[in-house]
Amino acid sequence: MSAHVVVRSGAGPAAEPVRQLERSGVATVHEAMGRTGLLGTQVRPRQVGASVAGRAVTVSCQPGDNLMLHAAVEQCRAGDVVVVATTSPSTDGMFGDLLAVSLMARGVRGLVSDAGVRDVAALRAMGFPVWSRAVSARGTVKATPGSVNVPVVCGGGLVRPGDVVVADDDGVVVVPLGREAEVARRAREREEAEVAKREALRSGVLGLDMYGLRPLLEHLGVTYVDADE
C-alpha cells in the first residue's frame, strides 16, 4: 500500500451519543472519561461561545502545505469535524475562509488544527468555528502528498478517524470510537449529580464540608491559627 492514502470510510459514532457529548461539553466529557482524551492547551478556540461534536475526519499534511486538506473535503459528510496534523511542527495558516466555505457546503461542524489558521475575522462572521495552535497570515502551497483518514497526533493526543471530537471554549477532547455511548452516559450522570451540588453551594454550604475535605486537611498537617489582633 502507498505511504500516502485517502481512506474512504463511513465508520463513525451513532448520532444521539454525539449530541449528548456536545451538550455535556469538554470539561465534563474529560472527567467522565477518567480525565483522558484532552488535547494540549496549544490547540485553542479562535472564537467565543462555539461548541461542536462530531465524527473525526483526520488529515496528515506536510508543514506549509494544505494539499491534503483539499483532498479531505470530499471525504466529509454532515456533522463531521476535520482534524489536521502536520508531520513536523508548523504554524503556517493552512486553513482559511475559502476552505471553510467548501467544508460548510458538506455540512462540516468545525476544524481542529495542530498548525495555523487565517482569515479569522471572516471565519467568525461565517460562523465556522476553528481550534488551532496558531493564527498566521502566512499561506501554504499545494504540492506535497499526505494522507486522509489515518491516525494522527494533534495537540499531543492521538486521534483516529471516526473518533468523536468535542470542542468548546475549554478546548478539545477526543472520545475513541466505540466508547461514545458509555462516555455520554457517564457525562449525563455527572451533570445530574452536579445539580444538587450547585444548589448546596448556592445555599452557602462550603466545598470543604460538601466534599468532606476537613479530615484531609488535618491528615495533611494543615492547621488553623488566629491572626494577632
Side-chain angles (χ1 to χ4, degrees), residues 26-41:
V26 170
T28 298
V29 170
H30 171 57
E31 296 286 350
M33 204 162 52
R35 298 172 62 82
T36 62
L38 198 63
L39 301 192
T41 55

Side-chain angles (χ1 to χ4, degrees), residues 30-220:
H30 171 57
E31 296 286 350
M33 204 162 52
R35 298 172 62 82
T36 62
L38 198 63
L39 301 192
T41 55
Q42 67 268 35
V43 179
R44 303 175 57 190
R46 299 301 168 181
Q47 62 284 305
V48 175
S51 64
V52 302
R55 180 186 76 138
V57 172
T58 60
V59 191
S60 176
C61 295
Q62 294 293 320
D65 193 311
N66 73 351
L67 172 64
M68 299 313 296
L69 252 172
H70 288 271
V73 176
E74 186 179 24
Q75 305 308 315
C76 293
R77 66 190 188 198
D80 287 347
V81 176
V82 173
V83 179
V84 182
T86 52
T87 56
S88 61
S90 174
T91 58
D92 294 340
M94 57 197 309
F95 180 84
D97 64 330
L98 293 180
L99 266 168
V101 169
S102 191
L103 289 178
M104 290 178 77
R106 309 286 290 191
V108 173
R109 300 288 311 281
L111 175 132
V112 175
S113 175
D114 205 13
V117 298
R118 63 181 187 173
D119 304 326
V120 174
L123 293 173
R124 290 171 182 159
M126 294 163 60
F128 188 85
V130 295
W131 289 256
S132 70
R133 174 185 291 269
V135 172
S136 175
R138 183 184 295 274
T140 57
V141 299
K142 300 169 180 60
T144 318
S147 294
V148 177
N149 276 335
V150 298
V152 299
V153 174
C154 179
L158 177 64
V159 187
R160 298 179 179 87
D163 287 349
V164 182
V165 178
V166 186
D168 60 22
D169 285 341
D170 288 336
V172 183
V173 67
V174 178
V175 180
L177 180 62
R179 291 196 61 194
E180 64 275 3
E182 166 215 343
V183 176
R185 175 180 56 79
R186 292 179 181 273
R188 185 172 62 252
E189 290 170 353
R190 287 187 64 87
E191 291 179 281
E192 291 169 353
E194 287 177 355
V195 172
K197 292 177 181 178
R198 192 170 289 107
E199 288 304 313
L201 292 169
R202 188 175 288 118
S203 72
V205 173
L206 296 175
L208 281 174
D209 299 313
M210 184 170 69
Y211 295 112
L213 299 177
R214 294 188 189 277
L216 176 60
L217 288 176
E218 183 178 0
H219 174 73
L220 294 174

